[in-house]
Amino acid sequence: MQKKIYVAGMFDDDTAGKVEAAVKTVGGVTSCTSNASKAQVLVDFDESTAGIEDAINAAISSTGVEVLS
């Protein structure tokens, strides 16, 4: 499944890179691309993995960025 997540606080490529790295550590995530200029994270993941969406949101939040949707 692919999901677009909007975030607040991702103002530069350095932060975007930290978000990508954090999300890629979540089990079941197959790819992640973050875009600071659009304030969004595009994640491909296995939706059958229990609790994966919460884990993705937690990974994003752990970098100091706020998940909006």
Side-chain angles (χ1 to χ4, degrees), residues 23-47:
V23 172
K24 286 178 179 178
T25 66
V26 175
V29 170
T30 54
S31 72
C32 174
T33 305
S34 56
N35 186 320
S37 64
K38 292 183 179 181
Q40 68 184 26
V41 181
L42 189 60
V43 185
D44 284 310
F45 60 93
D46 179 357
E47 62 187 302

Side-chain angles (χ1 to χ4, degrees), residues 4-21:
K4 188 181 296 182
I5 302 168
Y6 291 95
V7 298
M10 186 169 63
F11 302 114
D12 56 31
D13 290 339
D14 184 51
T15 306
K18 289 177 183 175
V19 170
E20 270 186 43

Side-chain angles (χ1 to χ4, degrees), residues 26-28 45-56:
V26 175
F45 60 93
D46 179 357
E47 62 187 302
S48 68
T49 302
I52 190 164
E53 292 191 53
D54 289 336
I56 290 168

